């Protein structure tokens, strides 16, 4: 299928779905306002050239919305996101819909989650390992970590800390008085005020980081392969990721 498929009246429904899926993957991480502006600008380009809008117009608009990354930063983003994907896949947490590193502030992934059974401690610990996997991948490949997994309220480390705290305080899996439910609105205040609790939460994070590293070391060939393809293509849809991860 060529990039002209959007203007080909003979295109099948599957062709159209394929184009939309590819565009959706390419646009991961953009806001609705970003997408609306890109479509409007693509229409203006097509109108000026007196033709129908093409796939390439939209993809060019998406790419122009994102500055070119230095190669070393792009490689680190690829390693980080590949780490998340491999641990997610190894722990059978659900399908991967796509990954992109074509963003100035870091990578972005669409990971779906399903529970193979009840929402148990084991399932939550799997989630913790997946959240720490980007950091683990950086440690393995670079022997150092960046702030890419931390530094904001929606970062990997913030989400993992919140989950580990919930295991101790509200989900019934704590080492101290597990039957007491606490609704902690601000983890920072709670952890700073209770060093013993902070130590238990940190221990959970260290365990999750170690588990992620073990999985990645066992799947090092997959990590290197997914990193290389993601670095080159910058965006992979779910099928592309699955093909790499399922390759022996």
């Amino acid at each position: 299928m060529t990039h002209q498929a959007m203007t080909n009246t003979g295109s099948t429904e599957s062709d159209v779905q394929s184009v939309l899926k590819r565009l959706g993957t390419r646009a991961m991480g953009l806001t609705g306002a970003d997408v609306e502006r890109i479509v409007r600008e693509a229409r203006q380009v097509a109108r000026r050239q007196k033709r129908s809008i093409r796939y390439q117009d939209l993809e060019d608009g998406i790419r122009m919305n994102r500055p070119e990354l230095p190669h070393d930063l792009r490689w680190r983003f690829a390693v980080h996101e590949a780490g998340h994907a491999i641990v997610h896949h190894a722990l059978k947490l659900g399908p991967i819909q796509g990954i992109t590193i074509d963003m100035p502030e870091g990578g972005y992934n669409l990971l779906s989650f399903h529970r193979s059974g009840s929402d148990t401690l084991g399932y939550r610990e799997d989630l913790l390992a997946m959240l720490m996997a980007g950091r683990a991948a950086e440690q393995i490949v670079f022997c150092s970590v960046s702030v890419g997994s931390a530094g904001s309220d929606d970062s990997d480390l913030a989400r993992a800390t919140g989950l580990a705290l919930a295991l101790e305080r509200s989900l019934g899996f704590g080492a101290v008085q597990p039957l007491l439910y606490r609704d902690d609105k601000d983890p920072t205040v709670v952890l700073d005020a209770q060093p013993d609790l902070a130590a238990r939460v940190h221990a959970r994070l260290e365990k999750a980081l170690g588990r992620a590293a073990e999985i990645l070391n066992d799947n090092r060939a997959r990590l290197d392969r997914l990193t290389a393809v993601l670095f080159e293509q910058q965006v992979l849809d779910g099928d592309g990721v699955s093909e790499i991860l399922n390759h022996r």
Side-chain angles (χ1 to χ4, degrees):
M1 183 183 66
T2 69
H3 287 170
Q4 315 301 322
M6 293 189 69
T7 61
N8 184 354
T9 57
S11 297
T12 66
E13 183 176 347
S14 63
D15 290 334
V16 174
Q17 291 297 325
S18 178
V19 168
L20 292 176
K21 181 178 180 181
R22 178 167 178 164
L23 281 173
T25 303
R26 174 63 76 181
M28 281 193 303
L30 296 178
T31 66
D34 290 333
V35 173
E36 183 178 0
R37 175 177 50 77
I38 289 167
V39 171
R40 184 171 60 251
E41 291 173 352
R43 284 174 175 163
Q44 291 172 352
V45 169
R47 192 176 300 117
R48 284 196 298 269
Q49 297 180 9
K50 297 181 180 180
R51 58 171 174 78
S52 300
I53 190 171
R54 299 171 181 165
Y55 171 95
Q56 194 64 46
D57 298 326
L58 296 172
E59 183 166 277
D60 288 346
I62 293 169
R63 294 304 303 274
M64 288 175 64
N65 193 69
R66 294 165 168 166
E68 187 72 21
L69 293 174
H71 277 208
D72 59 339
L73 188 58
R74 185 166 138 193
W75 184 255
R76 187 173 285 270
F77 286 174
V79 168
H80 187 102
E81 296 306 327
H84 283 303
I86 287 170
V87 172
H88 184 276
H89 178 79
L91 294 177
K92 298 179 171 59
L93 289 172
I96 298 172
Q97 299 174 14
I99 309 173
T100 181
I101 58 167
D102 192 16
M103 302 178 70
E105 68 276 13
Y108 186 86
N109 56 59
L110 284 174
L111 305 177
S112 297
F113 297 90
H114 63 69
R115 298 171 188 166
S116 58
S118 301
D119 188 356
T120 62
L121 173 61
Y123 174 74
R124 294 292 177 138
E125 288 179 337
D126 286 349
L127 294 181
L128 269 181
M130 185 280 300
L131 287 169
M132 300 299 291
R135 186 182 184 92
E138 290 190 39
Q139 286 182 336
I140 290 170
V141 175
F142 302 112
C143 298
S144 66
V145 297
S146 68
V147 298
S149 61
S152 65
D153 289 343
D154 61 349
S155 68
D156 296 338
L157 196 56
R159 293 165 61 201
T161 300
L163 175 52
L165 178 61
L167 289 173
E168 286 290 330
R169 301 267 292 178
S170 62
L171 294 177
F173 300 116
V176 176
Q177 298 177 327
L179 300 184
L180 292 181
Y181 171 83
R182 299 91 159 178
D183 185 13
D184 298 317
K185 300 298 185 184
D186 189 343
T188 301
V189 172
V190 176
L191 293 172
D192 284 348
Q194 302 186 53
D196 289 345
L197 173 62
R200 295 198 302 273
V201 169
H202 190 264
R204 287 187 182 275
L205 297 177
E206 284 190 317
K207 179 181 177 182
L209 181 64
R211 188 175 176 212
E214 183 178 354
I215 292 170
L216 292 172
N217 279 319
D218 288 344
N219 290 272
R220 182 59 192 266
R222 285 189 176 96
L223 175 62
D224 292 343
R225 193 160 54 240
L226 181 57
T227 296
V229 176
L230 186 56
F231 174 82
E232 181 65 29
Q233 299 188 19
Q234 300 187 65
V235 175
L236 287 171
D237 63 18
D239 292 339
V241 176
S242 294
E243 183 178 348
I244 294 169
L245 295 184
N246 291 323
H247 178 73
R248 294 290 180 180

